Amino acid sequence: MASRRRRRQCHPSGILDVWELRRALSDLNAKEKHAESIWRQVVQRGRSLSEVSADEKLPRRVRTMLISHFQSCTSRVVQYRPNEEASSGGKLEVELFDGERVETVLIIHQDDRPTNGPRRRSTVCVSSQVGCKMGCRFCATGTMGLQAHLSAGEIAEQLLHAREFCPPDAPLRNVVFMGMGEPLDNYEHVLGALQVMSSQNAFALTLRNITVSTVGVPGMIQKLGHDCPEVNLAVSLHAPTQELRKRIVPSAGAFPIGDLMQEIDEYAERTNRKVMLEYILIDGVNAHVSVAHDLGQLCTGRRVSVNLIPYNRTEIGEAQGYRTPTEATCRLFQSTVLEYLDHEGKKVYTTLRRSSAKGRSVDGACGQLVLKKLPEAGAQESKAGVPDIEDLGGAPPAKPRQRGRVLRSRRPGEGLAGAPTVEALLPPGLQRHKWTFALAVGVGAVALLVKLLL
């Protein structure tokens, strides 16, 4: 499908858009550190921008700018579908400010070897583009073409939405850029989102718990290694030879596998980190034992690991005649690669992914993300909304009121069930005293009730 990418500009901008916020502060000759202060109040403390703008610790010009140029969140969840095994996560459909939509996947893991942390943790699989232009033959997202790049704020907002569905005992700990889009084709905004995600005053994630996945964009792996060496890198390889890879990943024609592996080697050398090679196993295409030997030879002496993923059914894959290999075929492929040695003289670390099966029930597994009309069962719409960022804060997230409901963000100044908030009822000059006003009203109401009863 041909791409129809267009220029997008959201106004007011999202407060998590690091580039827009820093530009606005720079235009005011205000210190960049104010961005961190604002994120801390909005993301971690759950304060609204109107509350933040009343904070006299911020310069007056910054407070005025927040109200006129920014909003807490520019996107909203229009649908959440839990997996058949609901405790394992689900898929969110997120609508952006201009009506474009992306999908975000929540994956809840059981940690069998906890140390000091909780026994469960949550991973969020985020999208970086609407659609994708790489056109991988097994991937449903590629059928959309490239529709739009997401801003840094729109990428980061996916964590806010996913956090709402994380169980209290499974905190958000990991992020993978394995949703819709090619992250390194939207590099600057992905880099900005990484800064917000890892900021101690926002999501406070360690970069070592964030993975950026790419099919390979010439020169960009090296750039990522220079700009953000602590982040994990995963490369969607899918074939050990150029000829076979071009059949599965058409964009490989512009990036020969020899050049790709050279960038991977340089990245691993610079960062002293292993690079994960992702490999979709497609029966009769790239899952034969002879191909496993080719992959093992390609990995020999390199600082890499291999993640084997049995093909998940998609319409585009079915059109290619692709099939999921048997368990025996997958195991044989894995054991063959394990015969080869890495840079340390150890067996090439090779895993066979199982978690993706949990997402197949909602088309949320690897390669299955594409926007289409979802079944009505268990995913009906609702007039209620996902609480906006002001309602999230650092408190344990509330459970959705009903599985599969479509939720709507509150409008500014609106409370639960659409009722106006105390702040919205007060004149602007008295809004900073809203809690005093609320307390006075409450005490008066109690006194009246006691008088009536007596």
Side-chain angles (χ1 to χ4, degrees):
M1 177 177 176
S3 299
R4 60 172 185 86
R5 182 169 61 89
R6 55 187 175 78
R7 184 173 179 82
R8 305 168 67 242
Q9 183 64 48
C10 179
H11 185 79
S13 301
I15 199 65
L16 296 184
D17 193 326
V18 57
W19 306 128
E20 290 297 325
L21 182 55
R22 287 179 178 170
R23 184 180 298 114
L25 290 171
S26 176
D27 289 345
L28 295 174
N29 291 320
K31 296 179 180 179
E32 194 173 288
K33 69 176 184 179
H34 293 311
E36 298 286 337
S37 173
I38 294 165
W39 289 340
R40 182 171 62 253
Q41 295 188 64
V42 173
V43 179
Q44 297 186 357
R45 298 180 182 175
R47 303 185 71 189
S48 68
L49 281 186
S50 58
E51 290 177 309
V52 176
S53 66
D55 185 354
E56 295 185 354
K57 293 181 180 178
L58 290 173
R60 182 182 296 276
R61 64 186 186 280
V62 172
R63 289 183 277 152
T64 302
M65 174 269 293
L66 286 178
I67 292 300
S68 60
H69 289 81
F70 288 91
Q71 55 184 311
S72 298
C73 191
T74 66
S75 59
R76 68 188 186 104
V77 174
V78 294
Q79 197 162 48
Y80 175 73
R81 296 185 67 206
N83 299 337
E84 287 182 356
E85 183 185 340
S87 62
S88 66
K91 183 170 70 172
L92 297 80
E93 185 174 337
V94 179
E95 184 177 76
L96 309 178
F97 74 94
D98 55 359
E100 297 281 8
R101 295 187 180 188
V102 295
E103 294 183 326
T104 306
V105 178
L106 173 64
I107 308 163
I108 301 173
H109 304 273
Q110 179 70 32
D111 194 344
D112 296 325
R113 295 181 297 175
T115 52
N116 297 324
R119 292 194 62 87
R120 296 205 298 166
R121 67 188 188 280
S122 295
T123 295
V124 179
C125 177
V126 299
S127 294
S128 56
Q129 295 175 319
V130 181
C132 181
K133 70 179 182 183
M134 298 303 169
C136 298
R137 299 299 187 197
F138 59 85
C139 182
T141 305
T143 63
M144 298 173 60
L146 176 58
Q147 309 285 322
H149 292 308
L150 269 63
S151 69
E154 289 172 324
I155 297 171
E157 284 174 11
Q158 293 173 66
L159 271 64
L160 290 173
H161 298 311
R163 189 172 67 175
E164 181 69 8
F165 297 93
C166 292
D169 66 335
L172 195 163
R173 187 182 297 173
N174 301 83
V175 174
V176 292
F177 282 77
M178 297 181 182
M180 299 169 67
E182 164 54 60
L184 298 190
D185 188 41
N186 187 21
Y187 183 78
E188 293 301 326
H189 290 294
V190 166
L191 192 66
L194 289 172
Q195 293 183 30
V196 179
M197 292 174 183
S198 60
S199 168
Q200 290 302 307
N201 293 295
F203 295 100
L205 296 173
T206 171
L207 286 171
R208 292 180 179 270
N209 286 349
I210 302 176
T211 299
V212 174
S213 176
T214 178
V215 297
V217 177
M220 300 310 294
I221 290 177
Q222 290 180 333
K223 188 168 178 59
L224 181 66
H226 177 269
D227 294 337
C228 199
E230 292 185 359
V231 77
N232 295 309
L233 175 67
V235 175
S236 296
L237 189 67
H238 309 313
T241 65
Q242 178 66 5
E243 181 180 356
L244 180 56
R245 190 165 191 258
K246 283 175 62 178
R247 287 173 50 194
I248 303 172
V249 184
S251 62
F255 199 6
I257 196 167
D259 296 342
L260 173 62
M261 297 309 298
Q262 181 177 343
E263 283 207 27
I264 288 173
D265 290 341
E266 292 173 357
Y267 178 93
E269 181 68 24
R270 171 186 286 272
T271 63
N272 198 32
R273 311 286 299 281
K274 277 189 176 182
V275 175
M276 181 172 69
L277 303 180
E278 298 173 293
Y279 195 102
I280 298 288
L281 287 168
I282 306 171
D283 192 40
V285 178
N286 66 348
H288 192 272
V289 67
S290 62
V291 183
H293 280 294
D294 290 339
L295 178 59
Q297 291 172 4
L298 186 68
C299 295
T300 297
R302 285 193 156 100
R303 194 187 297 267
V304 296
S305 62
V306 178
N307 184 26
L308 302 175
I309 310 166
Y311 161 70
N312 296 301
R313 294 182 60 181
T314 60
E315 290 183 8
I316 184 174
E318 298 299 297
Q320 304 288 329
Y322 289 172
R323 302 184 306 276
T324 304
T326 63
E327 175 75 12
T329 298
C330 295
R331 288 296 181 190
L332 179 58
F333 195 98
Q334 180 185 30
S335 63
T336 302
V337 178
L338 283 168
E339 296 175 10
Y340 294 84
L341 306 180
D342 65 10
H343 67 295
E344 295 180 331
K346 300 177 181 178
K347 292 182 178 181
V348 174
Y349 186 74
T350 307
T351 58
L352 185 59
R353 184 188 294 183
R354 293 294 174 204
S355 60
S356 62
K358 298 176 181 179
R360 291 179 191 144
S361 61
V362 292
D363 292 332
C366 183
Q368 292 185 320
L369 298 185
V370 65
L371 292 171
K372 58 186 179 182
K373 183 173 176 62
L374 298 173
E376 295 297 328
Q380 62 268 28
E381 292 195 4
S382 166
K383 295 181 180 179
V386 165
D388 204 69
I389 182 175
E390 292 94 335
D391 307 303
L392 296 176
K399 294 182 179 179
R401 282 177 281 180
Q402 179 178 328
R403 185 179 300 176
R405 297 183 76 173
V406 177
L407 306 173
R408 178 184 63 82
S409 298
R410 297 185 203 167
R411 297 183 179 88
E414 185 180 71
L416 293 174
T421 60
V422 170
E423 184 176 3
L425 294 173
L426 292 174
L430 296 178
Q431 286 183 359
R432 70 177 64 183
H433 305 294
K434 63 181 180 179
W435 296 118
T436 304
F437 177 80
L439 180 61
V441 171
V443 170
V446 171
L448 178 60
L449 178 61
V450 170
K451 183 176 181 179
L452 290 174
L453 291 175
L454 294 177

